[in-house]
Amino acid sequence: QGDDITRNLKTVQDIPLRLKGDYPTVVEVRGEAFMEKEALLRMNTRREEEGLSVFANPRNSTAGSLKMQDPKAVAQRPIRFFAFDMILDDEPIDITQSDKVDLLTDFGLPTNEYPQVCENLDEVLAVIKKFDTLRHDLPYETDGAVIKVNQTNLRDQLGSTSKFPRWAIAYKFEAEQAQTKLNDISLQVGRLGTITPVAELEPVLLAGTTVKRASLHNEEEIHRKDIRIGDTVLVE
């Protein structure tokens, strides 16, 4: 179940309305919509000039845009797309993830420019290290790298848990941190009457989002960390 966003996706220029080449009758394409950092800045500048609210980060603006009711309005948003997998009705037993990426490109779908096949764990770790540096120069936000078993016929043997496949894992890079000032501590009352102290922070940009508030969990946590108004704090 979910939202039918077919009409909106047709406005995303990266997604062709018709596949190219010798494509199958039935194919399921899996991918991710995203927005580049510079494109978000330009869009927010334009919205400010028009007296409209601005978006906090590329992820929220992309998700919100794709759920809009008017495809013409979606067409004005700078949404991009990468295909990263596909499911075929009758898959050859020896097909690999890298074969699928090649096929997606042949069918005219955009794929990420940095896929890499590794032969062992040392190579995987070397690629992760490379991406940890490269990610700061990419035009879009990323918080990790996805590692998949290349031979798709082994995926059924590895199986899945109730939530996640055992043949793929997301490696998350170390979280970004920023220093800021604690201006105040407010109390938030939950639906069941639980009181949660909240840090009111000097706004700071972190991982593409402006952070103004953070949970302090409970009174014991405030005493344990000796958190006081006026402190300089580290936000992660």
Side-chain angles (χ1 to χ4, degrees), residues 145-206:
V146 179
I147 305 150
K148 295 181 181 179
V149 172
N150 196 31
Q151 294 165 267
T152 54
N153 63 327
L154 295 178
R155 294 180 178 181
D156 287 341
Q157 293 180 43
L158 291 165
S160 302
T161 67
S162 58
K163 291 184 177 180
F164 307 108
R166 290 195 178 95
W167 47 264
I169 191 167
Y171 179 95
K172 298 294 185 182
F173 299 123
E174 192 172 329
E176 287 187 30
Q177 296 181 331
Q179 282 192 349
T180 188
K181 184 181 176 184
L182 177 62
N183 289 331
D184 199 4
I185 296 175
S186 59
L187 299 177
Q188 188 170 287
V189 182
R191 189 167 50 87
L192 300 176
T194 307
I195 297 175
T196 303
V198 177
E200 304 292 345
L201 305 167
E202 192 71 32
V204 62
L205 190 65
L206 188 64

Coordinates of all heavy atoms in Angstrom, one line a residue, residues 145-206:
A145 N 26.9 3.8 2.1 CA 27.1 3.0 0.9 C 26.3 1.7 1.1 O 26.3 1.1 2.2 CB 28.5 2.7 0.6
V146 N 25.7 1.2 0.1 CA 25.0 -0.1 0.1 C 25.8 -1.2 -0.5 O 26.3 -1.1 -1.6 CB 23.6 0.0 -0.6 CG1 22.9 -1.3 -0.5 CG2 22.7 1.1 0.0
I147 N 26.0 -2.2 0.3 CA 26.8 -3.4 -0.1 C 25.9 -4.6 -0.4 O 25.1 -4.9 0.5 CB 27.8 -3.8 1.0 CG1 28.7 -2.6 1.4 CG2 28.7 -4.9 0.5 CD1 29.2 -2.6 2.8
K148 N 25.9 -5.1 -1.6 CA 25.0 -6.2 -2.0 C 25.8 -7.4 -2.5 O 26.9 -7.3 -3.0 CB 24.1 -5.8 -3.1 CG 23.1 -4.7 -2.7 CD 22.2 -4.3 -3.9 CE 21.3 -3.2 -3.6 NZ 20.4 -2.9 -4.8
V149 N 25.3 -8.6 -2.2 CA 25.8 -9.8 -2.8 C 25.5 -9.7 -4.3 O 24.4 -9.5 -4.8 CB 25.2 -11.1 -2.2 CG1 25.6 -12.3 -3.0 CG2 25.5 -11.2 -0.8
N150 N 26.6 -9.8 -5.1 CA 26.4 -9.6 -6.6 C 25.7 -10.7 -7.3 O 24.9 -10.5 -8.2 CB 27.8 -9.5 -7.2 CG 27.8 -8.8 -8.6 OD1 26.9 -8.0 -8.9 ND2 28.7 -9.2 -9.5
Q151 N 25.9 -12.0 -6.9 CA 25.2 -13.1 -7.5 C 23.8 -13.2 -7.0 O 23.5 -13.6 -5.8 CB 25.9 -14.4 -7.2 CG 27.3 -14.5 -7.9 CD 28.2 -15.6 -7.2 OE1 28.9 -15.4 -6.3 NE2 28.0 -16.8 -7.8
T152 N 22.8 -12.9 -7.8 CA 21.4 -12.8 -7.3 C 20.8 -14.2 -7.0 O 19.9 -14.3 -6.2 CB 20.5 -12.1 -8.4 OG1 20.7 -12.8 -9.6 CG2 20.9 -10.6 -8.5
N153 N 21.4 -15.3 -7.6 CA 20.9 -16.6 -7.3 C 21.2 -17.0 -5.8 O 20.6 -17.9 -5.3 CB 21.4 -17.6 -8.3 CG 22.9 -17.8 -8.2 OD1 23.6 -16.8 -7.9 ND2 23.4 -19.0 -8.5
L154 N 22.2 -16.3 -5.2 CA 22.5 -16.6 -3.8 C 21.6 -15.9 -2.8 O 21.5 -16.3 -1.6 CB 23.9 -16.3 -3.5 CG 25.0 -17.0 -4.3 CD1 26.4 -16.5 -3.9 CD2 24.9 -18.5 -3.9
R155 N 20.8 -14.9 -3.3 CA 20.0 -14.1 -2.4 C 18.9 -14.9 -1.8 O 18.6 -14.8 -0.6 CB 19.4 -12.9 -3.2 CG 20.5 -12.0 -3.6 CD 19.9 -10.8 -4.4 NE 21.0 -9.9 -4.8 CZ 20.8 -8.7 -5.4 NH1 19.5 -8.4 -5.7 NH2 21.8 -7.9 -5.7
D156 N 18.3 -15.9 -2.6 CA 17.2 -16.7 -2.0 C 17.8 -17.6 -0.9 O 17.1 -17.9 0.1 CB 16.6 -17.6 -3.1 CG 15.7 -16.8 -4.0 OD1 15.3 -15.7 -3.6 OD2 15.4 -17.2 -5.1
Q157 N 19.0 -18.1 -1.1 CA 19.6 -19.0 0.0 C 19.9 -18.2 1.3 O 19.7 -18.7 2.4 CB 20.9 -19.5 -0.5 CG 20.8 -20.5 -1.7 CD 22.2 -21.0 -2.1 OE1 23.0 -21.3 -1.3 NE2 22.3 -21.1 -3.4
L158 N 20.3 -16.9 1.1 CA 20.6 -16.1 2.2 C 19.3 -15.6 3.0 O 19.3 -15.4 4.2 CB 21.4 -14.8 1.8 CG 22.9 -15.2 1.4 CD1 23.5 -14.0 0.6 CD2 23.7 -15.5 2.6
G159 N 18.3 -15.4 2.2 CA 17.0 -15.0 2.7 C 16.9 -13.7 3.4 O 17.8 -12.8 3.1
S160 N 15.9 -13.5 4.2 CA 15.6 -12.2 4.8 C 15.1 -12.4 6.2 O 14.6 -13.4 6.5 CB 14.6 -11.4 4.0 OG 15.0 -11.2 2.7
T161 N 15.3 -11.3 7.0 CA 14.6 -11.3 8.3 C 13.2 -10.8 8.1 O 12.8 -10.6 6.9 CB 15.4 -10.4 9.3 OG1 15.3 -9.0 8.8 CG2 16.9 -10.8 9.4
S162 N 12.5 -10.5 9.1 CA 11.2 -9.9 9.0 C 11.2 -8.5 8.4 O 10.2 -8.1 7.8 CB 10.4 -9.9 10.3 OG 11.1 -9.2 11.2
K163 N 12.4 -7.9 8.5 CA 12.5 -6.5 8.0 C 13.5 -6.3 6.9 O 13.3 -5.4 6.0 CB 12.8 -5.6 9.2 CG 11.7 -5.4 10.2 CD 12.1 -4.4 11.3 CE 11.0 -4.2 12.3 NZ 11.4 -3.2 13.3
F164 N 14.6 -7.0 6.9 CA 15.7 -6.7 6.0 C 16.2 -7.9 5.3 O 16.2 -9.0 5.8 CB 16.9 -6.1 6.8 CG 16.5 -4.9 7.7 CD1 16.4 -5.0 9.1 CD2 16.1 -3.7 7.1 CE1 16.1 -4.0 9.9 CE2 15.8 -2.6 7.9 CZ 15.7 -2.8 9.3
P165 N 16.7 -7.7 4.1 CA 17.4 -8.9 3.4 C 18.8 -9.1 4.0 O 19.4 -8.2 4.5 CB 17.5 -8.3 1.9 CG 17.6 -6.8 2.1 CD 16.7 -6.5 3.2
R166 N 19.1 -10.4 4.0 CA 20.5 -10.8 4.6 C 21.6 -10.6 3.5 O 22.7 -10.7 3.8 CB 20.5 -12.2 5.0 CG 19.6 -12.4 6.3 CD 20.0 -13.8 6.9 NE 19.2 -14.0 8.2 CZ 18.1 -14.7 8.2 NH1 17.6 -15.2 7.1 NH2 17.4 -14.8 9.3
W167 N 21.2 -10.3 2.3 CA 22.2 -10.2 1.2 C 22.5 -8.8 0.9 O 23.3 -8.5 -0.1 CB 21.6 -10.9 -0.1 CG 20.2 -10.6 -0.5 CD1 19.1 -11.3 -0.1 CD2 19.8 -9.4 -1.2 NE1 18.0 -10.6 -0.6 CE2 18.4 -9.5 -1.3 CE3 20.4 -8.3 -1.8 CZ2 17.6 -8.5 -1.9 CZ3 19.7 -7.4 -2.4 CH2 18.3 -7.5 -2.5
A168 N 22.1 -7.8 1.7 CA 22.4 -6.4 1.5 C 22.5 -5.7 2.8 O 21.8 -6.1 3.8 CB 21.4 -5.7 0.6
I169 N 23.4 -4.8 2.9 CA 23.6 -4.0 4.1 C 24.0 -2.6 3.8 O 24.7 -2.4 2.8 CB 24.6 -4.7 5.1 CG1 24.6 -4.1 6.5 CG2 26.0 -4.6 4.5 CD1 25.4 -4.9 7.5
A170 N 23.5 -1.7 4.6 CA 23.9 -0.3 4.4 C 24.9 0.1 5.4 O 24.8 -0.1 6.6 CB 22.6 0.6 4.6
Y171 N 26.1 0.5 4.9 CA 27.2 1.0 5.8 C 27.0 2.5 5.9 O 27.0 3.2 5.0 CB 28.5 0.7 5.1 CG 29.7 1.2 6.0 CD1 30.3 0.3 6.9 CD2 30.1 2.5 5.9 CE1 31.4 0.8 7.7 CE2 31.1 3.0 6.7 CZ 31.8 2.1 7.6 OH 32.8 2.6 8.3
K172 N 26.8 2.9 7.2 CA 26.6 4.4 7.4 C 27.9 5.0 7.8 O 28.6 4.5 8.7 CB 25.6 4.6 8.6 CG 24.2 4.0 8.2 CD 23.5 4.7 7.1 CE 22.1 4.3 6.9 NZ 21.5 4.9 5.7
F173 N 28.2 6.2 7.2 CA 29.4 6.9 7.5 C 29.2 7.6 8.9 O 28.1 7.7 9.4 CB 29.6 8.0 6.5 CG 29.9 7.5 5.1 CD1 29.1 7.9 4.1 CD2 30.9 6.6 4.9 CE1 29.3 7.4 2.8 CE2 31.1 6.1 3.6 CZ 30.3 6.5 2.6
E174 N 30.3 8.0 9.5 CA 30.3 8.6 10.8 C 29.4 9.8 10.8 O 29.5 10.6 9.8 CB 31.7 9.0 11.3 CG 31.8 9.4 12.7 CD 33.2 9.5 13.2 OE1 34.1 8.8 12.6 OE2 33.4 10.4 14.1
A175 N 28.5 10.0 11.8 CA 27.6 11.1 11.8 C 28.3 12.4 11.9 O 29.3 12.5 12.5 CB 26.6 10.9 13.0
E176 N 27.7 13.4 11.2 CA 28.2 14.8 11.2 C 28.0 15.4 12.6 O 26.9 15.1 13.2 CB 27.6 15.6 10.1 CG 28.1 15.3 8.7 CD 27.6 16.3 7.7 OE1 27.4 17.5 8.1 OE2 27.4 15.9 6.5
Q177 N 28.9 16.2 13.0 CA 28.7 16.9 14.3 C 28.9 18.4 14.1 O 29.5 18.9 13.2 CB 29.7 16.4 15.3 CG 29.6 15.0 15.7 CD 30.6 14.5 16.7 OE1 31.7 15.1 16.8 NE2 30.3 13.6 17.6
A178 N 28.3 19.2 15.0 CA 28.4 20.6 15.0 C 28.3 21.2 16.4 O 27.5 20.7 17.2 CB 27.4 21.3 14.1
Q179 N 29.0 22.2 16.7 CA 28.9 22.9 18.0 C 27.9 24.1 17.9 O 27.8 24.7 16.9 CB 30.3 23.5 18.4 CG 31.2 22.4 19.0 CD 32.4 23.1 19.6 OE1 32.6 24.3 19.5 NE2 33.2 22.2 20.4
T180 N 27.1 24.2 19.0 CA 26.2 25.3 19.0 C 25.9 25.7 20.5 O 26.4 25.0 21.4 CB 24.9 25.0 18.2 OG1 24.1 26.2 18.1 CG2 24.1 24.0 18.9
K181 N 25.1 26.7 20.7 CA 24.8 27.2 22.0 C 23.4 26.8 22.5 O 22.5 26.8 21.7 CB 24.9 28.7 22.1 CG 24.8 29.3 23.4 CD 24.9 30.9 23.4 CE 24.6 31.5 24.7 NZ 24.6 33.0 24.7
L182 N 23.3 26.3 23.7 CA 22.1 26.0 24.3 C 21.4 27.3 24.9 O 21.9 27.8 25.9 CB 22.3 25.0 25.4 CG 21.0 24.5 26.2 CD1 20.0 23.9 25.3 CD2 21.4 23.6 27.3
N183 N 20.4 27.7 24.2 CA 19.7 29.0 24.6 C 18.7 28.8 25.7 O 18.5 29.7 26.5 CB 19.0 29.6 23.4 CG 20.0 30.1 22.4 OD1 21.1 30.5 22.7 ND2 19.6 30.1 21.1
D184 N 18.1 27.7 25.8 CA 17.0 27.5 26.8 C 16.6 26.0 26.8 O 17.0 25.2 26.0 CB 15.8 28.3 26.4 CG 14.8 28.5 27.6 OD1 15.2 28.1 28.7 OD2 13.8 29.1 27.3
I185 N 15.9 25.6 27.9 CA 15.4 24.3 28.0 C 13.9 24.4 28.2 O 13.4 25.0 29.2 CB 16.0 23.5 29.2 CG1 17.5 23.3 29.0 CG2 15.3 22.2 29.4 CD1 18.3 22.7 30.1
S186 N 13.1 23.9 27.3 CA 11.7 23.9 27.4 C 11.1 22.5 27.8 O 11.8 21.5 27.7 CB 11.0 24.4 26.1 OG 11.4 23.5 25.1
L187 N 9.9 22.5 28.3 CA 9.3 21.2 28.7 C 8.1 20.9 27.7 O 7.3 21.7 27.5 CB 8.7 21.3 30.1 CG 9.8 21.6 31.2 CD1 9.2 21.8 32.6 CD2 10.9 20.5 31.2
Q188 N 8.2 19.7 27.2 CA 7.2 19.2 26.2 C 6.3 18.1 26.9 O 6.8 17.2 27.4 CB 7.9 18.7 25.0 CG 7.0 18.3 23.8 CD 7.8 18.0 22.6 OE1 8.4 18.9 22.0 NE2 7.9 16.8 22.3
V189 N 5.0 18.3 26.9 CA 4.1 17.4 27.5 C 3.5 16.4 26.4 O 2.9 16.9 25.5 CB 3.0 18.1 28.3 CG1 2.1 17.0 28.9 CG2 3.5 19.1 29.3
G190 N 3.8 15.1 26.6 CA 3.3 14.1 25.7 C 1.8 13.8 25.8 O 1.2 14.3 26.8
R191 N 1.3 13.0 24.9 CA -0.1 12.6 24.9 C -0.5 11.9 26.2 O -1.7 12.1 26.7 CB -0.4 11.7 23.7 CG -1.8 11.4 23.4 CD -1.9 10.7 22.0 NE -1.0 9.6 21.9 CZ -1.2 8.4 22.3 NH1 -2.4 8.1 22.8 NH2 -0.4 7.4 22.1
L192 N 0.4 11.2 26.8 CA 0.1 10.5 28.1 C 0.5 11.2 29.3 O 0.6 10.7 30.4 CB 0.7 9.1 28.0 CG 0.2 8.2 26.9 CD1 1.0 6.8 26.9 CD2 -1.3 7.9 27.0
G193 N 0.9 12.5 29.1 CA 1.3 13.3 30.3 C 2.8 13.2 30.6 O 3.2 13.8 31.6
T194 N 3.6 12.5 29.8 CA 5.0 12.4 30.0 C 5.7 13.8 29.7 O 5.4 14.3 28.6 CB 5.6 11.3 29.1 OG1 4.9 10.1 29.3 CG2 7.1 11.1 29.5
I195 N 6.5 14.2 30.6 CA 7.2 15.5 30.4 C 8.6 15.3 29.9 O 9.4 14.5 30.5 CB 7.2 16.4 31.7 CG1 5.8 16.7 32.1 CG2 8.1 17.6 31.4 CD1 5.7 17.4 33.4
T196 N 8.9 15.8 28.7 CA 10.3 15.6 28.1 C 11.0 17.0 28.0 O 10.4 17.9 27.4 CB 10.2 15.0 26.7 OG1 9.5 13.8 26.8 CG2 11.5 14.8 26.1
P197 N 12.1 17.1 28.6 CA 12.9 18.4 28.4 C 13.5 18.5 27.0 O 14.0 17.5 26.5 CB 14.0 18.3 29.5 CG 14.1 16.9 29.8 CD 12.8 16.2 29.5
V198 N 13.4 19.7 26.4 CA 13.9 19.9 25.0 C 14.9 21.0 25.0 O 14.6 22.1 25.6 CB 12.7 20.2 24.1 CG1 13.2 20.5 22.7 CG2 11.7 19.0 24.1
A199 N 16.0 20.8 24.4 CA 17.0 21.8 24.2 C 16.6 22.8 23.1 O 16.4 22.3 22.0 CB 18.4 21.2 23.9
E200 N 16.6 24.0 23.4 CA 16.3 25.1 22.4 C 17.7 25.6 22.0 O 18.4 26.3 22.8 CB 15.4 26.2 23.0 CG 14.1 25.7 23.5 CD 13.2 25.2 22.5 OE1 13.4 25.5 21.3 OE2 12.2 24.5 22.8
L201 N 18.1 25.3 20.8 CA 19.5 25.6 20.4 C 19.6 26.8 19.4 O 18.6 27.2 18.8 CB 20.0 24.4 19.6 CG 20.0 23.0 20.3 CD1 20.2 21.9 19.4 CD2 21.0 23.0 21.5
E202 N 20.8 27.4 19.4 CA 21.1 28.4 18.4 C 21.1 27.6 17.1 O 21.8 26.6 17.0 CB 22.5 29.0 18.7 CG 22.9 30.2 17.9 CD 22.1 31.5 18.3 OE1 21.7 31.6 19.5 OE2 21.8 32.3 17.4
P203 N 20.3 28.0 16.1 CA 20.2 27.2 14.9 C 21.6 26.9 14.3 O 22.4 27.8 14.1 CB 19.4 28.1 13.9 CG 18.6 28.9 14.9 CD 19.5 29.2 16.1
V204 N 21.8 25.6 13.9 CA 23.0 25.2 13.3 C 22.7 24.3 12.1 O 21.8 23.4 12.2 CB 23.9 24.5 14.3 CG1 23.3 23.3 14.9 CG2 25.3 24.2 13.8
L205 N 23.5 24.4 11.0 CA 23.3 23.6 9.8 C 24.0 22.2 10.0 O 25.2 22.2 10.3 CB 23.8 24.3 8.6 CG 23.4 23.6 7.2 CD1 21.9 23.6 7.0 CD2 24.1 24.3 6.1
L206 N 23.3 21.1 9.9 CA 23.9 19.8 10.2 C 23.3 18.8 9.2 O 22.1 18.6 9.1 CB 23.6 19.4 11.6 CG 24.3 18.1 12.1 CD1 25.8 18.3 12.1 CD2 23.8 17.7 13.5

